[in-house]
Amino acid sequence: MVRFIELLGEAWGKFEETKWLLPVPIILSLMDYSNLTKVLSFEGFHIGVRFPLPEPVPGLWSFVSVPAGSPGVAFSAGSLVIMALAIVLGSYLEAGYHPTGL
């Protein structure tokens, strides 16, 4: 028979070793500017849940269905620089999230 308390204690020990990874999915979720603007500018009612395929670092947007925004894309020089910096920062965060370096 499985001893739940022992397994819970073992899991808590693993969490103590890796709790520094907790902010990574939160930071990556906040870095997705387009989803943030869609949610903050949406007026009305929307219910949606997603069931995604496995992702390297699941974040908030992996499980939340975002309301559809207006069609089209607009870029400026500043937004391209910010996007490049976000990609580099996100890559470093994802690489550090996996201890095996996958």
Side-chain angles (χ1 to χ4, degrees), residues 36-66:
L36 281 174
T37 57
K38 286 178 188 176
V39 168
L40 294 176
S41 66
F42 183 74
E43 294 181 15
F45 186 73
H46 175 80
I47 294 178
V49 177
R50 293 180 55 209
F51 297 100
L53 294 173
E55 296 183 13
V57 181
L60 175 64
W61 310 119
S62 300
F63 304 102
V64 174
S65 174
V66 180

Side-chain angles (χ1 to χ4, degrees), residues 4-61:
F4 180 72
I5 300 298
E6 289 179 14
L7 290 175
L8 190 60
E10 183 180 338
W12 184 256
K14 295 292 183 185
F15 172 73
E16 287 294 323
E17 296 172 7
T18 58
K19 67 182 174 184
W20 60 272
L21 293 174
L22 188 60
V24 173
I26 297 168
I27 292 169
L28 290 175
S29 295
L30 293 175
M31 284 176 54
D32 198 343
Y33 182 73
S34 64
N35 284 343
L36 281 174
T37 57
K38 286 178 188 176
V39 168
L40 294 176
S41 66
F42 183 74
E43 294 181 15
F45 186 73
H46 175 80
I47 294 178
V49 177
R50 293 180 55 209
F51 297 100
L53 294 173
E55 296 183 13
V57 181
L60 175 64
W61 310 119

